[in-house]
Amino acid sequence: MAKPGIDLAIASDQDVVLEARAGRQAAYRELVRRYERPIFSLIYRMVRNREQAEDLSQETFVKALNAIESYRPEYKFSSWIFKIANNVSIDHLRRRELDTLSLDGSPHALTPEAIQASALQLGDRQETALEELEAKELGGEIEAAIATLRPEYRACILLRHVEGRPYEEIATMLDLPLGTVKTYIHRARGELRQALAHLRQ
Amino acid sequence: MTDHIATHLTPDELDNWLAGSLARNREAHLHACADCRRLADADRALAHLIGSLPLFSPAEGFGDRVMARVEIRHRARPLAIAAALAAGLLLPMAASVAWSLAYPETLTQLLQGAGSGIGGLGLAAVRSLGTTLLAQPWYPWVHGLFESPARLGLVFGASAAAYAGGVLVLRRLMALPMPRVAHVQG
């Protein structure tokens, strides 16, 4: 194992990556420590299930850290790992078709009955402690409104306003043209404005 | 031409306003237009609302679970490799010089004895090798290859190409496989 070199706590991401590439285990741990909350939060808000979010976050880190040699230092490490996290989430959502479900029912449902039928019925059965926690964490109006967005819109708006990433970086992360990212964010804002209009009133 | 002051703010301009970089003449429109003002205020409130959402933490031991699945490759640093090579070359040389300085008479005797012995043995070996080589059935054909400069050039060219090909193949075979990373689909 490589000898401890730089102080990882204050080193830049690029330097920590260099240490990781040299085989320093503490550097890998430092990268996990730095990004576990932002990555987990993004994925949790994308899939809205704690257990799945844990698994997908793990998958994200394992993919990123096992491929650390292929990371190109001219890009931000954060962009790289968020890109992997987004891919993992979108793949999962496509597989499970969770994008049409939300706590408030399908965004495609047009009648109150259809909304009711497509809503996740948390009160219908005995909730586990985990489900109670999820309902508490993601039960706010804004979280519920974000959940009704298309996954692509959701990823864009979260990266823009929760992570504070510039449009160009989001475009790089999601492999989308800059104009598309702007459109997604504007549409997402429009939908959220509508969904939360009653709050303002 | 459209009156720039009269037209409503575009989504990009609303973004610029949020970022505090809206052009002055568009600021004037924003102050005068109730619709744009309402939209801008709603966007600002929304951005603030989303921006203040908390970060969640994964369950305890997340880092350990990740690390249990991470394969750490120990890659030697270039400086360490250079130092190891230098040490491997220089240390035996230094030891040899030190021994020679400490025992000059022994060294002289060894060299004289080895010189005469090795010289005789070497000459006999070269003679034997030469005789064996000349007796081989393929020797005249190989010898023919070296008879003209053109043939000699061809032989060297073919050898160099074979060598380069071999090196490339070896490099490919010895390259570490890289794990695949997911990319955004569609």
Side-chain angles (χ1 to χ4, degrees):
Chain A
M1 194 174 132
K3 285 180 185 171
I6 57 168
D7 184 354
L8 293 173
I10 54 166
S12 68
D13 280 356
Q14 313 307 80
D15 287 339
V16 178
V17 169
L18 284 178
E19 291 292 309
R21 281 179 167 183
R24 191 172 165 191
Q25 193 186 18
Y28 284 84
R29 282 195 176 272
E30 176 63 18
L31 291 171
V32 177
R33 190 193 66 75
R34 284 183 189 191
Y35 287 100
E36 63 181 349
R37 294 185 74 216
I39 293 292
F40 177 74
S41 300
L42 176 77
I43 296 178
Y44 188 20
R45 288 194 168 101
M46 292 291 284
V47 302
R48 297 181 65 80
N49 176 299
R50 232 177 194 281
E51 211 171 314
Q52 288 169 3
E54 289 258 357
D55 290 347
L56 296 174
S57 302
Q58 259 193 57
E59 192 182 330
T60 298
F61 277 101
V62 170
K63 270 186 178 176
L65 298 180
N66 278 340
I68 200 87
E69 292 287 340
S70 66
Y71 161 69
R72 288 158 66 186
E74 62 265 32
Y75 299 110
K76 280 185 174 179
F77 179 78
S78 58
S79 300
W80 191 60
I81 197 159
F82 272 112
K83 180 177 185 165
I84 297 173
N86 182 66
N87 294 338
V88 164
S89 309
I90 297 281
D91 285 350
H92 174 81
L93 288 174
R94 279 183 184 151
R95 275 199 309 270
R96 300 289 305 267
E97 297 184 347
L98 278 181
D99 53 335
T100 53
L101 281 175
S102 77
L103 287 175
D104 289 342
S106 166
H108 308 299
L110 298 175
T111 62
E113 292 76 27
I115 292 170
Q116 179 72 21
S118 62
L120 289 179
Q121 301 295 319
L122 290 179
D124 285 357
R125 55 194 164 83
Q126 193 71 35
E127 286 179 1
T128 63
L130 189 66
E131 284 165 342
E132 272 182 47
L133 177 65
E134 282 163 10
K136 193 178 164 190
E137 284 177 335
L138 299 172
E141 298 232 27
I142 178 72
E143 298 280 10
I146 290 171
T148 63
L149 297 173
R150 274 174 53 177
E152 294 82 3
Y153 292 5
R154 218 180 305 165
C156 285
I157 202 91
L158 290 172
L159 288 168
R160 176 78 187 128
H161 292 301
V162 177
E163 288 303 318
R165 304 285 161 177
Y167 286 109
E168 293 77 7
E169 200 181 326
I170 297 171
T172 309
M173 282 181 199
L174 306 186
D175 271 346
L176 291 172
L178 183 59
T180 306
V181 169
K182 284 184 175 179
T183 305
Y184 281 4
I185 289 175
H186 298 152
R187 285 183 187 164
R189 275 199 205 130
E191 288 182 21
L192 291 177
R193 269 199 307 266
Q194 274 192 325
L196 301 169
H198 64 283
L199 287 182
R200 288 206 312 279
Q201 284 157 8
Chain B
M1 188 182 145
T2 318
D3 183 358
H4 195 54
I5 301 294
T7 53
H8 288 310
L9 294 187
T10 63
D12 277 349
E13 286 173 329
L14 282 171
D15 271 335
N16 292 342
W17 180 74
L18 281 176
S21 58
L22 185 63
R24 195 166 289 174
N25 59 340
R26 304 303 286 147
E27 283 273 9
H29 171 83
L30 187 61
H31 283 295
C33 177
D35 285 345
C36 285
R37 187 80 218 168
R38 199 164 37 244
L39 207 57
D41 285 342
D43 267 1
R44 183 165 59 184
L46 195 60
H48 178 73
L49 206 58
I50 303 173
S52 58
L53 288 174
L55 285 181
F56 300 118
S57 296
E60 210 167 309
F62 177 80
D64 292 334
R65 289 192 294 280
V66 169
M67 291 307 293
R69 293 174 57 196
V70 171
E71 190 185 314
I72 297 177
R73 294 199 187 95
H74 300 288
R75 193 180 69 173
R77 293 161 195 251
L79 198 66
I81 294 171
L85 277 175
L89 281 170
L90 291 175
L91 280 177
M93 279 172 70
S96 156
V97 170
W99 185 86
S100 311
L101 290 172
Y103 306 101
E105 296 86 8
T106 317
L107 180 68
T108 315
Q109 283 169 7
L110 274 174
L111 284 175
Q112 280 171 352
S116 57
I118 289 171
L121 274 174
L123 199 62
V126 168
R127 274 186 188 153
S128 161
L129 189 69
T131 317
T132 314
L133 200 65
L134 290 171
Q136 295 303 313
W138 44 261
Y139 177 77
W141 182 81
V142 173
H143 187 258
L145 289 177
F146 296 92
E147 278 181 342
S148 77
R151 281 184 188 175
L152 202 61
L154 260 174
V155 169
F156 274 111
S159 308
Y163 178 77
V167 168
L168 279 175
V169 169
L170 268 178
R171 279 187 65 173
R172 256 194 109 90
L173 287 173
M174 290 173 77
L176 286 172
M178 282 295 166
R180 291 179 66 192
V181 180
H183 292 283
V184 171
Q185 291 166 4

